[in-house]
Amino acid sequence: MPILFSGGQFDWPPLTLVIPDERPVMSIIPEELSYTAEHEWVTAPNADGVVRVGITDFAQDALGDVVYAQMPEVGTTIKANDVVGEVESTKSVSDIYAPVAGEVVARNEALDTDSALINSDPYGEGWLIEIKLAEADAVESLLSASEYEQQVG
């Protein structure tokens, strides 16, 4: 709507009113993964009995900007539920727990130079370690996506 001002005419741009959505933002929880109560995700084992592990979208969001990730070296034998590393953010330091027992066969070297991948792509480029399972059925005892979703609300 034109507005007359000091003898001239100006067309003001329309105002856009932004109303914040009061609903909580739901975390991304891929159906094909398994989860732990400590907010780690685990892939199904591949043909060699190896799983990939990372932290969930919920966890990375709670942490804030990740600035450092410390993971075990390749060849390390780990026990389920033991602390195997830590993730440091601008808010806090959080332990990473082994979701399954086995041997670390890979660690995400990209996190050494770009730990923010945990925030930007927690289920992809931000993975942490790969573990060769000590027991083939270990993943079956973890939470399903729907069970994890109920836990985090």
Side-chain angles (χ1 to χ4, degrees):
M1 162 179 186
I3 298 175
L4 293 176
F5 181 77
S6 300
Q9 186 173 351
F10 297 91
D11 287 324
W12 292 91
L15 295 176
T16 303
L17 181 60
V18 177
I19 301 171
D21 188 352
E22 296 299 324
R23 295 172 295 165
V25 175
M26 295 300 294
S27 296
I28 298 168
I29 304 173
E31 287 287 326
E32 68 275 9
L33 300 175
S34 297
Y35 299 88
T36 69
E38 291 77 27
H39 310 290
E40 286 92 18
W41 57 262
V42 181
T43 63
N46 67 14
D48 296 325
V50 175
V51 296
R52 184 170 275 188
V53 176
I55 66 169
T56 65
D57 183 52
F58 178 88
Q60 71 78 24
D61 185 56
L63 280 168
D65 295 334
V66 175
V67 295
Y68 176 74
Q70 183 267 318
M71 294 296 117
E73 294 299 322
V74 171
T76 304
T77 300
I78 57 176
K79 295 180 184 175
N81 303 313
D82 280 359
V83 174
V84 295
E86 65 183 28
V87 175
E88 181 179 338
S89 72
T90 55
K91 293 181 183 180
S92 67
V93 176
S94 295
D95 288 333
I96 301 298
Y97 295 88
V100 293
E103 179 185 346
V104 176
V105 295
R107 60 188 299 277
N108 189 350
E109 304 288 340
L111 298 179
D112 293 342
T113 56
D114 190 6
S115 55
L117 289 170
I118 294 171
N119 294 116
S120 62
D121 193 8
Y123 299 112
E125 296 298 315
W127 63 276
L128 302 176
I129 57 176
E130 291 180 345
I131 303 168
K132 180 160 181 55
L133 297 174
E135 297 178 16
D137 62 350
V139 175
E140 294 174 18
S141 65
L142 301 176
L143 301 172
S144 69
S146 62
E147 290 168 329
Y148 181 70
E149 185 175 16
Q150 289 175 358
Q151 177 183 318
V152 298

